[in-house]
Amino acid sequence: MTGRFLRVELRRSAAGGIALLMLVVGTAMLLSSTQFFAGRWMQLAVNTRSMLMVLLPLALAGGAWLGRRETRHRVDELFASTVRPRWHRVVPTAGALAIAVVTAYVLVFLIAAGWVVPTSEYFPTAAIVVTSVGALSLVAAGWLGMAAGRAVPRVITAPVLAVIGFALVGLAPELVMTPDLNAEIARFRPEPSAVLLVPVFSGGLDDLQTIVTRISLLQTLWLVALATTGLLLLSAVGRRATVLAVLPAVLGAAVAVPLLPAGGTRGAAAVDPVAAELVCDAEGPQVCVTRVHAGLLPDLVGPARQALTMMAAKLPNAPTRAVQSQQVAYWAQLVPDSAPPRHQADTIVFDTPTIGRTGHAELSADFLPSLLLAPWEQECGEGSDLDEAYLAQVVAAAWLSGQPPTPPPGWEPVETEQAKTAYEALMALPEAEQQRRMAAARDAAMDCRADGLLAILPEENS
Amino acid sequence: MRWLKLHLRSRRVPLALTTATSTIALVWALSLAYTDSPTINARTASVTIVLAVIALGTTLSGADDALDRTASVNWPVRRAGHLLLGAAVITALLLLTTVTDASFEPLTLVLRNTAGLLGLTALGAALFGAALAWIAPLTWTLVAVMPFMGPSRELKMQLASWLIQPTGTTAATVCAIVLAVTGLLAYALRGCPLRPASETAPDQ
């Protein structure tokens, strides 16, 4: 019997329209910037979760519209006089809304997956978990919206609820994160753990990271509690039932909040060891990328080997393999790694190139020059970045390519001049001396001795 | 005068006006209390305007469409007047705040957003009825005020978030004017679609 009601509700209620609206808005927003997730399942899951910023308010508004239906058609008194318990009547409508919003969310994910499948070679199961939590949050929002629509049956309820929902999920996490301007140095405040009760991921995730399953389970617990509250409120008759209905949400929050980690998204993220594994191309000098970026390997092999060949031609003990950096981006680390592992001298490490809208690498004109800097780069940890060290690297790269240094964008004319002078001074030396100096500078850089690297600059600079 | 009063009452204008006024007053009071800036920013202003516009949007149809149409008055003029008066009322309410320490500014932004959103609401009312007219303006506003939307040189971005573009952005202005004019014409000439009698409970 319930099944038939459910089918009728799905066919004839506003649930279909709500799902269609959410599908169109969500897909349009997600596909407007495919470069953020193309080729990466976890990024797709997280980006779909950040679309909740619009989808959750729409689910709330849609629920409120549906919850107000009986008053709008002036049948609430008629229905209240039937002998069936209220929840018999409520469950098919609530079920139809839940099916509709979940379908819309999953369809948004699947449509956008068209930009992931062609270039992806790694599918983490956590992506499914993250997506399920997002779908569940829409159910909770829809049911809470229905309860609100029933309690205050006015046209303005739905839009007001949507705006309040937007403020809660879209703006509140930003507000608690804003830098404390009164502090001496503006720092991002550590996000409180309660931020993770909001299912929107506003912080973003590094490609090598994944959302810890334990956090997803805690979020599931809280959202199930919230959805239960919504459903109970919707079917509550009388004051006591209404008060009791709030209990699950309060309990859910009370259990989940102490167990959630501080730090919002960054606290919920961890390095995915499988995603960070190296995948190598060994036909020639070895070129390796992380598994999550395996799709980029064919694009990168060419320039990487070209750079290795240029190094082999000039540098004694030249590096023989190029490896993508396995470091998580600085902004994604909760506690910055002060002593990252150093790499071997026979290896150059390059950063992930920009990923384009179709999931292929967008190799800009400065990708090869950045590879030529790499032999003099080492992960030395905090406080090791000297401006002069970069200057020395630019000069060294210019020596490798045999052309005067081209100033990177944003350089002062003074620095450009320094680089030119240093390069000319270096080229004036006999070739054997040039090679000796560059090799010494490289040894120093690999050992994190900044002074040794600076030795290639003329006296007045260093 | 009595006809006007009856018309306004049949459209539940008092309730809508109360809602719009209290929304604007609430946002204004909150801004006064919690921010030091003399200008309410474009995002907050857009959200306030859309709520006020949606409140007035409920007055775009009467309790019984079929009954309305039997009255031999010049409906296109009356509907256009209703819409223009609504725009004037919302703008006036918003501009009242300019004499205080937290105001909806600048005037051009207030005018552009009110006109565009009211046009979009009227267009929705002409296509789907006044009861559903809030969906399009609300959705567009939510998309436009998302944290990663902002002033941009890209046309796509300028259109998607026309509500929060700085005044003087041609694409945003054109977008607002097109919405306003289309909405005004569609609603004035066509009015709301006839609803079945079973749905003619007053929308509050």
Side-chain angles (χ1 to χ4, degrees), chain B residues 134-197:
Chain B
W134 55 273
I135 295 175
L138 176 76
T139 312
W140 205 332
T141 309
L142 286 184
V143 170
V145 300
M146 280 175 84
F148 52 78
M149 294 296 214
S152 163
R153 286 204 202 129
E154 255 184 289
L155 185 67
K156 192 177 73 179
M157 193 74 161
Q158 284 183 342
L159 287 181
S161 60
W162 64 274
L163 284 159
I164 57 157
Q165 296 297 321
T167 52
T169 313
T170 319
T173 317
V174 169
C175 185
I177 291 175
V178 167
L179 287 177
V181 172
T182 328
L184 181 68
L185 286 180
Y187 175 70
L189 297 178
R190 192 164 172 270
C192 291
L194 286 177
R195 288 170 298 169

Side-chain angles (χ1 to χ4, degrees), chain A residues 49 132-141 197-199 216-229:
Chain A
R49 282 281 283 273
S132 313
V133 174
L136 181 62
S137 73
L138 285 177
V139 175
L197 292 184
V198 174
S216 291
L217 290 180
L218 282 173
Q219 286 185 323
T220 308
L221 168 82
W222 149 249
L223 290 170
V224 166
L226 201 61
T228 313
T229 289

Side-chain angles (χ1 to χ4, degrees), chain A residues 42-104:
Chain A
M42 200 61 210
Q43 291 293 339
L44 171 61
V46 168
N47 273 281
T48 320
R49 282 281 283 273
S50 60
M51 288 306 116
L52 285 177
M53 215 182 281
V54 176
L55 297 184
L56 270 180
L58 286 182
L60 270 170
W65 175 255
L66 209 56
R68 168 177 165 265
R69 185 175 64 175
E70 285 162 16
T71 319
R72 180 168 147 72
H73 293 268
R74 288 185 286 193
V75 290
D76 44 348
E77 285 182 340
L78 175 72
F79 284 176
S81 67
T82 53
V83 285
R84 281 191 163 218
R86 194 182 146 77
W87 64 267
H88 274 198
R89 213 152 23 81
V90 164
V91 165
T93 322
L97 183 64
I99 292 174
V101 294
V102 168
T103 311

Side-chain angles (χ1 to χ4, degrees), chain A residues 21 25 29 32 50-51 53-54 57-58 61 65 68 72-74 153-156 158-160 162-163 166 170 174, chain B residues 15 19 47 51 54-55 58 131-132 134-135 138-139 142-143 145-149 156 198-204:
Chain A
L21 180 68
V25 173
M29 301 226 33
S32 69
S50 60
M51 288 306 116
M53 215 182 281
V54 176
L58 286 182
W65 175 255
R68 168 177 165 265
R72 180 168 147 72
H73 293 268
R74 288 185 286 193
R154 301 199 178 273
V155 172
I156 201 77
V160 166
V163 168
F166 179 81
E174 300 261 315
Chain B
L15 177 68
T19 315
V47 168
L51 287 179
I54 286 169
T58 60
L132 293 174
W134 55 273
I135 295 175
L138 176 76
T139 312
L142 286 184
V143 170
V145 300
M146 280 175 84
F148 52 78
M149 294 296 214
K156 192 177 73 179
S198 65
E199 279 185 31
T200 50
D203 284 314
Q204 290 174 328

Side-chain angles (χ1 to χ4, degrees), chain B residues 52-85:
Chain B
V53 162
I54 286 169
L56 279 191
T58 60
T59 69
L60 292 180
S61 76
D64 190 332
D65 302 329
L67 191 65
D68 269 4
R69 300 215 172 176
T70 58
S72 62
V73 294
N74 193 345
W75 279 111
V77 172
R78 188 173 279 229
R79 285 195 285 247
H82 186 104
L83 213 52
L84 292 174
L85 261 180

